[in-house]
Amino acid sequence: MISAIKFGSTYKISSKDNSFEKLWKLQSFTHKTNLESTQIKAESTKNSTDISYTIIAPDETDKTIETFCANNGINFKKMTIQSLLNSQGIINRTNPAPEGKIKTIVNYDKLKSLSKKQNSNIEHCKDDYLQYYKKEVNSMLKSGDNITPTSVYITNNDTKHTKDLIEYIKKYGADNLNDNQISIIFNQETDYPDHCMYFAMHDNGMKNIPILVNQETYLIGCALGLFNQKI
């Protein structure tokens, strides 16, 4: 697990509170100072598009950013990265479960232990995160925006019936599954690497991590003792 960087601030600047000219001036400033930033189309209407601009900054640059904004009449909202990256803060920013899904909490260590003897793409997704998406996904956590948790699917490999697997678990215990009796699959379901969000949350100190599951997965996960609540 990486050491979580929790010192610094996230600044939100919107065209609702500032002219586009001020936003472009701010964008030029952040490029020159190599600050981590993203520009997002927040809302489009027939007549206009509102832009939200985010700056993610280490604490030593706070004074520089705030002085620049003050000198140029730029309004901003400031949040500390520490507050954004605490476990409850992250959970509070997760999007509601879409139709047909359940948002629940899974214990990282329990799922990792279970996956070692089962068919799973968890290590592959973790490699994706470490090699390609680590910076992007952690920036999403630090941005203060809402988060879509990783979607996880657990299926029974022996039969097509979920109830058969649950009866097996009740009879023999969650620790006595056969090797590769189930599949545990992380799936990307948005335009960004949401299949990697699980690992970013863990890197930022979370052991009990929000995920999205379908009804079948929720029932199997509860039988296995993986999930402790709906949220």
Side-chain angles (χ1 to χ4, degrees):
M1 187 174 74
I2 65 171
S3 298
I5 301 171
K6 295 193 177 182
F7 299 102
S9 304
T10 292
Y11 294 85
K12 290 285 190 183
I13 303 94
S14 172
S15 62
K16 291 181 179 180
D17 305 312
N18 300 277
S19 68
F20 284 103
E21 181 182 358
K22 289 180 180 180
L23 262 66
W24 307 148
K25 187 179 290 187
L26 179 65
Q27 185 180 37
S28 177
F29 166 76
T30 58
H31 287 334
K32 288 178 182 177
T33 50
N34 294 319
L35 291 170
E36 197 175 329
S37 58
T38 56
Q39 188 173 319
I40 305 168
K41 287 186 178 180
E43 182 180 343
S44 294
T45 65
K46 214 172 186 181
N47 299 317
S48 67
T49 299
D50 291 318
I51 301 295
S52 174
Y53 197 68
T54 304
I55 302 172
I56 301 170
D59 54 1
E60 65 266 18
T61 63
D62 280 10
K63 186 176 180 180
T64 302
I65 294 167
E66 290 169 28
T67 298
F68 180 88
C69 288
N71 290 341
N72 290 276
I74 298 172
N75 298 307
F76 62 85
K77 178 183 177 182
K78 178 181 178 181
M79 299 165 281
T80 65
I81 291 176
Q82 187 173 18
S83 68
L84 293 173
L85 293 186
N86 72 71
S87 296
Q88 193 57 51
I90 290 175
I91 290 173
N92 290 344
R93 286 191 289 122
T94 55
N95 288 317
E99 186 177 355
K101 290 287 191 71
I102 296 166
K103 185 165 62 170
T104 186
I105 300 289
V106 65
N107 181 274
Y108 182 94
D109 292 331
K110 285 184 179 180
L111 187 60
K112 181 178 180 180
S113 177
L114 177 66
S115 68
K116 287 180 179 179
K117 291 186 177 181
Q118 303 301 326
N119 180 45
S120 170
N121 70 342
I122 294 179
E123 287 303 313
H124 171 76
C125 291
K126 186 176 182 179
D127 287 342
D128 270 0
Y129 166 70
L130 293 172
Q131 292 184 43
Y132 306 111
Y133 300 117
K134 183 176 176 180
K135 182 177 179 180
E136 178 183 354
V137 179
N138 276 277
S139 291
M140 294 166 74
L141 284 181
K142 292 184 284 185
S143 73
D145 294 331
N146 286 350
I147 305 158
T148 298
T150 299
S151 291
V152 180
Y153 295 86
I154 303 175
T155 57
N156 183 8
N157 293 338
D158 286 353
T159 73
K160 294 182 179 180
H161 301 295
T162 299
K163 66 177 184 178
D164 294 340
L165 176 59
I166 292 174
E167 288 175 4
Y168 180 96
I169 294 168
K170 287 179 179 179
K171 183 174 182 179
Y172 297 105
D175 296 329
N176 292 305
L177 289 177
N178 298 317
D179 289 357
N180 297 317
Q181 187 171 350
I182 61 174
S183 292
I184 305 169
I185 303 299
F186 281 25
N187 193 51
Q188 181 178 354
E189 301 195 356
T190 67
D191 292 335
Y192 69 83
D194 56 293
H195 63 302
C196 295
M197 185 58 72
Y198 179 85
F199 307 104
M201 290 181 181
H202 181 253
D203 273 356
N204 281 285
M206 296 181 72
K207 292 186 177 180
N208 296 303
I209 299 174
I211 59 172
L212 295 174
V213 298
N214 60 15
Q215 180 68 19
E216 176 186 23
T217 298
Y218 184 73
L219 292 173
I220 295 171
C222 287
L224 290 168
L226 294 175
F227 309 146
N228 54 25
Q229 66 187 80
K230 293 182 182 180
I231 56 173

